[in-house]
Amino acid sequence: MDKVYRKFTENTLIVASHNKGKIKEINHLLAPFGITAKSASELKLDEPEETGETFIENAELKALAAAKASGLPALADDSGYSVAALNGDPGIYSARWAGDHKDFALAMQMVECAMQDKDAQEDDERAAAFICALTLAWPDGHVETFEGRVDGTSIWPPKGSNGFGYDPIFKANGYDRTFAEMDCAEKQKISHRADAFKQLVNACFKAA
């Protein structure tokens, strides 16, 4: 029996993030639906401690915290960069590798150094993926969660100045440019966040 998803019928949604890059991408995805999106930073909502052990657990934790604090439905993502040679690291700790100052140049260097320590030189040894868990939560505690993924290769040195986070060192399979060399619209066609968002739209935004 097919799962029945709760439909989103409200006009205002909280984007449960303080990350400007994520907020920009999510607002871009929400634009066609005429939804008024407000960020957690706009409402001065506290960021909950991410104590989950998976992307899904952390996305649900953040979305529920924002929904209950605001009294409105909230959308949260937890996403990260997963490198096969590093047993999936940095994974759910992707932001933490960048430190308190969100220095992703340092984080990318740490990834590369760790891969060099593993002698991961060839493309088939440098497999990587971006993963995104996206949760829509309501103040009553109900959640709907979806996970998107895009596979590719971790490259070095970094290339491109668009995007954010680890985008400059990731080339998706079938593409010869990094996420940071693509414009927003091009990246949105193939990104992990767009994949999760498409699943969310089909389940919760479209009429049954």
Side-chain angles (χ1 to χ4, degrees):
M1 185 175 178
D2 291 341
K3 178 178 175 179
V4 177
Y5 296 95
R6 181 184 285 191
K7 297 298 181 181
F8 179 82
T9 57
E10 297 81 359
N11 3 358
T12 303
L13 184 64
I14 306 303
V15 179
S17 178
H18 292 253
N19 181 312
K20 291 180 180 178
K22 283 186 183 181
I23 292 166
K24 181 179 178 182
E25 282 196 2
I26 290 172
N27 273 318
H28 181 80
L29 291 165
L30 288 170
F33 300 95
I35 295 167
T36 300
K38 297 182 178 180
S39 71
S41 51
E42 276 182 78
L43 300 181
K44 297 182 168 54
L45 301 181
D46 291 333
E47 289 187 273
E49 187 178 354
E50 295 180 22
T51 55
E53 296 183 359
T54 65
F55 292 113
I56 288 174
E57 287 177 4
N58 281 329
E60 291 183 349
L61 185 155
K62 290 186 282 190
L64 282 168
K68 289 176 180 179
S70 66
L72 294 166
L75 184 68
D77 100 323
D78 195 61
S79 54
Y81 193 54
S82 176
V83 179
L86 305 183
N87 297 317
D89 283 341
I92 63 170
Y93 304 110
S94 293
R96 291 178 221 182
W97 278 40
D100 292 339
H101 298 293
K102 306 299 183 193
D103 185 348
F104 280 96
L106 173 63
M108 289 187 286
Q109 182 70 64
M110 289 171 64
V111 167
E112 181 60 21
C113 286
M115 293 182 76
Q116 293 296 336
D117 287 345
K118 298 280 189 180
D119 198 29
Q121 305 285 343
E122 304 301 323
D123 283 356
D124 61 355
E125 299 171 321
R126 299 179 65 88
F130 272 119
I131 300 168
C132 170
L134 195 60
T135 294
L136 178 60
W138 283 264
D140 66 2
H142 184 86
V143 299
E144 300 288 2
T145 301
F146 307 87
E147 191 168 74
R149 177 186 181 104
V150 56
D151 290 285
T153 304
S154 192
I155 64 108
W156 196 260
K159 294 181 179 179
S161 57
N162 298 327
F164 59 97
Y166 297 85
D167 285 357
I169 60 172
F170 180 75
K171 279 186 182 177
N173 289 339
Y175 292 81
D176 60 3
R177 290 177 296 151
T178 68
F179 267 7
E181 292 177 292
M182 296 180 179
D183 63 30
C184 184
E186 186 177 10
K187 177 185 169 185
Q188 289 300 346
K189 291 178 182 177
I190 60 169
S191 80
H192 51 308
R193 192 165 290 110
D195 179 15
F197 194 79
K198 181 192 279 187
Q199 296 175 53
L200 169 70
V201 165
N202 287 335
C204 301
F205 287 7
K206 289 186 176 178

